[in-house]
Amino acid sequence: MYKQPGKIALITGGNRGIGLRIVKKLVECEIEVILGVRNPIDSRKAVEAYLEHAKIPAASCKLHYEQLDIGNMKSVREFATKIKAKFDKIHLLINNAGVMSVPFKLTDEGFESHMAINYYGHFLLTHLLLPQLRAAGSAECKARVVNVSSCVHKIGEIDYNDINKIKNYYPADAYNQSKLAQVLFAKYLNLIFEEEGMPILSNSLHPGVVNTDLFEHSSTNYIPWIRALLFKNPEEGSRTVVYAAIAPKLETRGGCYLSNCREASSHRHWNNSVQCEKLFNFTCDTLRIDDFFYKRN
């Protein structure tokens, strides 16, 4: 934790769970924070109440709340348009919002909800904000993209024949697939950043098994005392995310998968550039993105 006045971070979610603790740590570093949230009014109340309880006057923080439904691509585009009109630079993009083990549902655009919320929305948002990230980064201090994934990505598989799990839906499989997609995306992003000499680095991470309402659709909901006993608390869960966002040690270490603030082993496809590129191209086709790295929407 160290002061970084002048930097701007954008986080999806951020009004509860580990996201709320991430925001607290960022403002303690004097970083200006944009929160992309479903309900800006309620989110402002929740964040300000939490900061006041933590003896951090909300008036001393530079916080912005913008409406975003990350699982809706139209909402993502509208959100990105607002952000680009207000901010020339984004130093840190933290792709944090997510769902886990929710009942089967297709979005209005026909995407399975885990993939839409955990992966597609963040993929599109990263694409749309690349000009702001490029403008913020420098050779000495690169901009950063942080994908909050999960250790279960290691048992995930990308089912290109049934990406939306219409034929056979099992919530855990859908979640694992979306988390693997986040990791492979971060890895491929960093590869291209390096090849093109862009002043940005990209990493993914496992925040830990954290006791938040993300588990409301899991079997642990019936035995909450186990979660309290064995899981990390939200503050502990926020640590690796903030480490990925600001740690000087990572200034030259893009393309990492982190756990407990250390580099960790990942999925067998993580170091396979062919598999990473396959998913990347598949996603661009799915979202109708013609040129991810250079097109300015």
Side-chain angles (χ1 to χ4, degrees), residues 20-21 24 28 45-58:
L20 190 57
R21 280 70 181 180
K24 175 179 177 288
E28 286 176 327
K45 292 178 182 177
V47 173
E48 290 184 353
Y50 175 73
L51 293 177
E52 291 287 350
H53 180 74
K55 304 289 192 287
I56 303 174

Side-chain angles (χ1 to χ4, degrees), residues 60-76:
S60 69
C61 307
K62 294 181 179 179
L63 296 170
H64 310 270
Y65 303 83
E66 295 289 350
Q67 201 282 326
L68 170 64
D69 178 355
I70 193 65
N72 181 297
M73 302 308 118
K74 179 181 178 183
S75 176
V76 173

Side-chain angles (χ1 to χ4, degrees), residues 2 29 47 53 64 128 159 221 252 277:
Y2 60 101
C29 293
V47 173
H53 180 74
H64 310 270
L128 295 172
D159 187 353
N221 211 37
T252 59
E277 184 176 15

Side-chain angles (χ1 to χ4, degrees), residues 135-151:
S138 66
E140 297 75 27
C141 187
K142 295 180 180 178
R144 301 190 188 189
V145 178
V146 178
N147 283 357
V148 182
S149 184
S150 167
C151 63

Side-chain angles (χ1 to χ4, degrees), residues 95-236:
N95 293 322
N96 165 71
V99 294
M100 183 179 75
S101 297
V102 295
F104 178 76
K105 181 181 179 181
L106 294 178
T107 67
D108 292 341
E109 293 149 312
F111 304 137
E112 188 276 320
S113 56
H114 286 94
M115 285 294 282
I117 296 169
N118 296 346
Y119 176 57
Y120 287 144
H122 290 119
F123 185 102
L124 179 59
L125 182 62
T126 304
H127 160 58
L128 295 172
L129 294 183
L130 269 183
Q132 277 63 32
L133 290 163
R134 284 200 297 264
S138 66
E140 297 75 27
C141 187
K142 295 180 180 178
R144 301 190 188 189
V145 178
V146 178
N147 283 357
V148 182
S149 184
S150 167
C151 63
V152 298
H153 84 275
K154 296 179 185 180
I155 57 173
E157 298 294 338
I158 307 297
D159 187 353
Y160 291 103
N161 295 319
D162 187 23
I163 200 77
N164 291 313
K165 304 294 184 182
I166 294 173
K167 297 176 184 176
N168 185 24
Y169 182 75
Y170 182 59
D173 287 344
Y175 178 71
N176 299 348
Q177 174 180 252
S178 70
K179 293 285 123 176
L180 173 58
Q182 287 182 303
V183 171
L184 299 185
F185 172 45
K187 183 70 173 180
Y188 186 75
L189 264 187
N190 200 76
L191 177 66
I192 301 303
F193 291 156
E194 289 180 346
E195 289 182 353
E196 298 294 329
M198 296 184 187
I200 315 170
L201 58 83
S202 172
N203 289 313
S204 59
L205 62 94
H206 170 52
V209 182
V210 185
N211 188 10
T212 69
D213 56 9
L214 191 67
F215 283 88
E216 65 180 325
H217 295 287
S218 76
S219 58
T220 64
N221 211 37
Y222 300 104
I223 41 177
W225 62 268
I226 287 185
R227 285 166 34 186
L229 180 66
L230 300 179
F231 293 8
K232 288 184 177 182
N233 63 44
E235 190 281 324
E236 292 169 329

